[in-house]
């Protein structure tokens, strides 16, 4: 089994899911008392927020270097937004980063979809790094049209979900945002923030919903076990 290094704490709530789902995935494949071999480098999310995502390269890169020194076989960034730096970090290290957007794009392709709506942090929705990765797979991306909706999504992710707080009113808002994207031409919805599945999921919709956390984990499990018969 390959050993996986996780950059977590961004936020800790979704890192819990990564650890849980990764171990469940390994055990499902191998059975018995098998569990995952992994190292978690958990950041203080306050430090990321204090610097701002666009100024947090050194924090993320230092965490990756620590994981490399722990002899992991691959690195996982436990947040969609952290993939802002994924390609830059990949160019500086010799082990693979298992990219969440590439994994998601491959899953979207299996459904035959060409346009998806994207819900995530303000940075993931508005910056090019995520949409460009989907575009490389021939997938067009749309985001909420109203700036106030984008700001509301950011506020809920940061000040509620990042603290493990679940509000029914926020859940209803996210359902509305997803339905609006679908009604405006998206063929499915990408939950492009690892905390959003705390609020909504496939059970809430009749159209395809892509839980990036679980998709990412599936690819991580496959990578970890690819050398095991």
């Amino acid at each position: 089994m390959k050993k996986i290094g996780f950059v977590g704490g961004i936020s800790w709530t979704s890192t819990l899911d990564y650890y849980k789902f990764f171990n469940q995935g390994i055990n499902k494949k191998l059975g018995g008392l098998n569990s995952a071999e992994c190292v978690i480098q958990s950041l203080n999310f306050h430090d990321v927020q204090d610097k701002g995502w666009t100024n947090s390269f050194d924090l993320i890169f230092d965490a990756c270097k620590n994981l490399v020194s722990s002899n992991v076989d691959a690195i996982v960034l436990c947040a969609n937004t952290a993939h802002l730096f994924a390609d830059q970090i990949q160019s500086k290290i010799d082990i693979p980063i298992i990219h969440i957007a590439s994994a998601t794009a491959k899953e979207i392709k299996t459904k035959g979809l060409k346009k998806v709506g994207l819900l995530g942090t303000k940075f993931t929705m508005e910056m090019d790094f995520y949409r460009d990765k989907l575009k490389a797979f021939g997938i067009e991306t749309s985001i909420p049209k109203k700036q106030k909706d984008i700001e509301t999504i950011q506020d809920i992710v940061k000040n509620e979900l990042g603290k493990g707080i679940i509000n029914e009113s926020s859940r209803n808002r996210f359902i509305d945002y997803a339905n609006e994207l679908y009604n405006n031409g998206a063929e499915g919805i990408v939950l492009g923030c690892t905390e959003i599945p705390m609020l909504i999921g496939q059970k809430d919709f009749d159209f395809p919903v892509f839980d990036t956390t679980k998709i990412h984990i599936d690819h991580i499990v496959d990578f970890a076990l690819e050398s095991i018969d």
Side-chain angles (χ1 to χ4, degrees):
M1 188 191 308
K2 293 184 176 70
K3 182 165 66 173
I4 307 299
F6 291 89
V7 179
I10 44 179
S11 66
W12 66 266
T13 55
S14 58
T15 305
L16 286 174
D17 285 339
Y18 268 90
Y19 185 71
K20 175 183 178 180
F21 296 147
F22 184 38
N23 277 281
Q24 287 178 340
I26 293 294
N27 186 260
K28 183 178 179 180
K29 294 278 189 178
L30 299 182
L33 294 177
N34 283 287
S35 59
E37 294 186 21
C38 63
V39 179
I40 300 175
Q41 177 75 33
S42 190
L43 299 175
N44 181 352
F45 198 35
H46 170 82
D47 294 340
V48 176
Q49 293 297 306
D50 190 49
K51 284 179 171 289
W53 268 112
T54 55
N55 297 317
S56 293
F57 172 81
D58 288 342
L59 285 174
I60 307 296
F61 185 47
D62 286 347
C64 291
K65 288 192 293 184
N66 288 340
L67 291 170
V68 170
S69 68
S70 297
N71 296 315
V72 299
D73 296 295
I75 287 176
V76 172
L77 306 177
C78 298
N80 284 269
T81 306
H83 286 74
L84 166 65
F85 306 117
D87 290 343
Q88 187 178 358
I89 293 172
Q90 184 66 86
S91 70
K92 296 177 180 293
I93 61 176
D94 295 327
I95 61 174
I97 293 175
I98 304 175
H99 201 294
I100 195 168
S102 296
T104 300
K106 291 173 184 177
E107 184 67 19
I108 294 169
K109 292 290 285 186
T110 67
K111 303 291 186 182
L113 308 189
K114 296 182 178 180
K115 182 176 181 180
V116 293
L118 174 63
L119 296 175
T121 66
K122 177 179 179 178
F123 307 97
T124 298
M125 289 188 289
E126 292 187 335
M127 298 179 74
D128 292 333
F129 71 96
Y130 205 91
R131 290 180 289 170
D132 283 351
K133 192 66 70 171
L134 297 184
K135 186 178 180 180
F137 285 82
I139 301 165
E140 182 183 352
T141 308
S142 62
I143 63 173
K145 294 181 179 180
K146 298 176 183 177
Q147 189 63 34
K148 68 175 184 178
D149 291 342
I150 291 174
E151 298 295 341
T152 297
I153 292 169
Q154 173 68 14
D155 181 67
I156 291 171
V157 168
K158 178 180 177 181
N159 295 313
E160 294 179 21
L161 302 183
K163 299 176 182 179
I165 299 170
I166 306 297
N167 285 323
E168 187 66 19
S169 61
S170 296
R171 177 178 178 274
N172 291 333
R173 283 189 172 188
F174 270 73
I175 289 174
D176 289 342
Y177 296 143
N179 282 324
E180 183 175 354
L181 288 169
Y182 179 74
N183 291 334
N184 286 331
E187 299 170 300
I189 301 296
V190 172
L191 306 184
C193 173
T194 50
E195 286 87 8
I196 291 178
M198 296 166 63
L199 279 183
I200 59 174
Q202 185 62 71
K203 61 180 173 45
D204 299 303
F205 306 98
D206 294 328
F207 47 81
V209 173
F210 299 92
D211 180 336
T212 55
T213 305
K214 290 188 175 179
I215 292 169
H216 204 193
I217 288 294
D218 286 345
H219 281 253
I220 297 162
V221 169
D222 288 345
F223 178 89
L225 298 179
E226 65 183 6
S227 62
I228 297 178
D229 293 333

